[in-house]
């Protein structure tokens, strides 16, 4: 089972407690689709993704960014059991959506950068460590049901 | 994923803004890396103090950012321009090249914090590609 220090627990709860999900979700997903354009392969039916402006203005990207962030919030609410919490989501991503798990890491990196930009100096090295540990565990849980 | 002419001009323009704060960015990126990726501390066992903001971290962060700034100047010929540094990393320092990606990520996080308006997705992709090309040039002599 994952061991969380008090600092890590409080940090994750605090970050997500103060986060504007409607801003961060879409920003992270659109950044991922722009910076790592091959990730667009999973969004063939999202309409116009032809350039950065189109991606940032795309309502389906925005909606999906919010969906992804809601998934993360689920993990925040179940920090001591992320593995079990994400079993169904893992099956969905592997068997139905067929997403290469490397993409989870790319999105996690983009989310880290977006959160860092929003939080500024408050995103200290220790906070970054806690945030990235949380995302690594989420990514690992999403990968678990891949066979 | 080679650098296009647009990538190079975006990197040069952005680096013009970064260069004034290069020392701060370098020290902070290194401090973040040592904290968030503790396995990287194994390369610095000869330092008395590995905490963010310590003298060795500040000094080395400055060295690294200076080298990256020079690399911007030779962006058209990174392999040739970084040849001596590649020798150093390959034969003397022997840093596992996987760590270049880790440091690059921490540089990007630091840039996002210090330049929240300038570090747009378009700048992000160009700088990410540049750091990847720089890392490849640094690893060129490894084997």
């Amino acid at each position: 089972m994952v061991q969380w220090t008090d600092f890590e627990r409080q940090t994750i709860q605090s970050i997500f407690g103060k986060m504007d999900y409607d801003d961060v979700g879409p920003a992270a997903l659109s950044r991922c689709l722009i910076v790592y354009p091959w990730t667009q392969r999973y969004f063939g039916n999202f309409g116009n993704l032809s350039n950065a402006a189109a991606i940032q203005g795309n309502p389906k990207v925005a909606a999906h960014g919010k969906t992804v962030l809601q998934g993360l919030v689920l993990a925040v609410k179940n920090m001591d059991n992320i593995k079990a919490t994400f079993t169904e989501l893992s099956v969905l991503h592997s068997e139905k959506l067929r997403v290469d798990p490397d993409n989870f890491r790319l999105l996690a990196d983009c989310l880290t950068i977006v959160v860092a930009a929003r939080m500024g100096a408050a995103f200290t090295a220790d906070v970054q460590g806690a945030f990235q540990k949380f995302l690594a565990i989420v990514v690992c849980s999403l990968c678990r049901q891949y066979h | 994923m080679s650098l296009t002419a647009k990538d190079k001009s975006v990197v040069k323009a952005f680096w013009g803004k970064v260069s004034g704060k290069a020392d701060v960015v370098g020290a902070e990126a290194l401090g973040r890396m040592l904290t968030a990726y503790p396995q990287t501390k194994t390369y610095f066992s000869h330092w008395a103090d590995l905490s963010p903001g310590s003298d060795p971290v500040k000094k080395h962060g400055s060295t690294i950012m200076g080298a990256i700034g020079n690399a911007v100047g030779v962006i058209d010929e990174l392999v040739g321009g970084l040849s001596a540094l590649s020798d150093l990393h390959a034969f003397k320092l022997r840093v596992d090249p996987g760590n270049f990606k880790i440091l690059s990520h921490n540089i990007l996080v630091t840039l996002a914090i210090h330049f929240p308006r300038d570090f747009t997705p378009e700048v992000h992709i160009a700088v990410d590609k540049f750091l990847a090309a720089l890392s490849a040039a640094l690893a060129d002599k490894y084997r």
Side-chain angles (χ1 to χ4, degrees), chain B residues 11-29:
Chain B
V11 168
K12 284 180 186 170
F14 181 66
W15 222 260
K17 296 175 186 161
V18 169
S19 54
K21 277 177 118 177
D23 287 351
V24 168
V25 170
E28 193 179 313

Side-chain angles (χ1 to χ4, degrees), chain A residues 26-41 43 48-58 61 103 106-107 110 114, chain B residues 1 6-7 10 119-129:
Chain A
L29 183 60
S30 57
R31 194 169 278 252
C32 187
L33 295 171
I34 294 166
V35 176
Y36 306 106
W38 54 92
T39 57
Q40 292 167 24
R41 76 189 301 283
F43 302 102
N48 186 5
L49 298 176
S50 55
N51 57 48
I55 290 170
Q56 284 169 297
N58 186 309
V61 171
N103 293 280
L106 296 178
L107 181 56
C110 286
V114 167
Chain B
M1 298 189 228
K6 184 171 174 227
D7 290 328
V10 168
F119 196 66
T120 60
E122 291 94 327
V123 169
H124 179 166
I125 184 175
V127 175
D128 192 32
K129 285 177 74 176

Side-chain angles (χ1 to χ4, degrees), chain A residues 81-101:
Chain A
N81 210 356
I82 295 177
K83 224 161 48 182
T85 305
F86 272 30
T87 304
E88 277 178 44
L89 271 173
S90 180
V91 170
L92 173 75
H93 283 76
S94 99
E95 291 180 17
K96 189 160 178 273
L97 304 175
R98 296 193 208 266
V99 179
D100 178 345

Side-chain angles (χ1 to χ4, degrees), chain B residues 19-20 33-35 43 83 89-90 92 97 115 124 129 132-133 141:
Chain B
S19 54
M33 184 186 80
L34 294 168
T35 305
Y43 290 98
S83 176
H89 284 75
K92 188 155 180 273
F115 303 94
H124 179 166
K129 285 177 74 176
K141 303 277 184 56

Side-chain angles (χ1 to χ4, degrees), chain B residues 67 70-88 133-141:
Chain B
N70 291 339
V72 174
V74 294
I75 201 168
D76 290 315
E77 224 308 70
L78 282 170
V79 172
L82 292 171
S83 176
L85 272 176
S86 184
D87 283 338
L88 177 72
L134 197 163
S135 301
L138 217 48
D140 190 60
K141 303 277 184 56

Side-chain angles (χ1 to χ4, degrees), chain A residues 13 52 65 81 104-105 138:
Chain A
Q13 297 298 326
N81 210 356
F104 304 148
R105 275 161 218 116
V138 167

